[in-house]
Amino acid sequence: MSRYNGQAPHAYNEGLNNYNPAANGWTHTGSIDKSRVDFYEKDNSRMDYYPTTGTVKTSMNHPAQGPTQMFRRGLDADSFGNVCAEPRHHTGQGYQTKASQYYPCK
């Protein structure tokens, strides 16, 4: 199923926090019910948000590192709001991957 399927986002009150990414200019592009994931885009960044676990993945073209992905788990509303405001925000609750000849990011 595509991240651009236009399905409605999951109810935010079902998740660990009730922060709506649209408040920071993110556009919802779709969701997958089975995985309980919502997809968003803003500028040249993409975000996958799992509201039931508070997990967020952001993908972007970092100015110094090139294509990168950052994963954060168990974010509370404040931390999630910080990530929505600045996708490169480091929370200390996750890990980062970046493209290499051995592991290309998509």
Side-chain angles (χ1 to χ4, degrees):
M1 188 167 278
S2 170
R3 69 180 294 119
Y4 302 102
N5 61 19
Q7 283 190 334
H10 294 94
Y12 293 103
N13 60 2
E14 294 177 13
L16 295 179
N17 62 63
N18 60 1
Y19 191 87
N20 185 348
N24 282 99
W26 289 89
T27 302
H28 183 266
T29 61
S31 64
I32 299 176
D33 286 334
K34 187 173 185 177
S35 302
R36 304 285 295 160
V37 60
D38 294 322
F39 302 114
Y40 294 89
E41 287 190 357
K42 176 182 176 182
D43 301 326
N44 292 321
S45 300
R46 293 181 297 168
M47 178 172 63
D48 299 359
Y49 173 50
Y50 298 81
T52 56
T53 63
T55 299
V56 177
K57 177 186 93 173
T58 53
S59 305
M60 69 202 71
N61 193 7
H62 190 279
Q65 299 175 8
T68 59
Q69 295 179 332
M70 290 184 72
F71 296 83
R72 300 130 174 128
R73 295 185 175 137
L75 297 182
D76 60 19
D78 289 337
S79 294
F80 182 54
N82 290 335
V83 170
C84 288
E86 174 52 61
R88 291 172 44 197
H89 179 76
H90 292 264
T91 62
Q93 295 176 262
Y95 61 94
Q96 176 183 10
T97 63
K98 62 182 177 178
S100 72
Q101 67 185 33
Y102 307 106
Y103 184 73
C105 294
K106 294 183 181 181

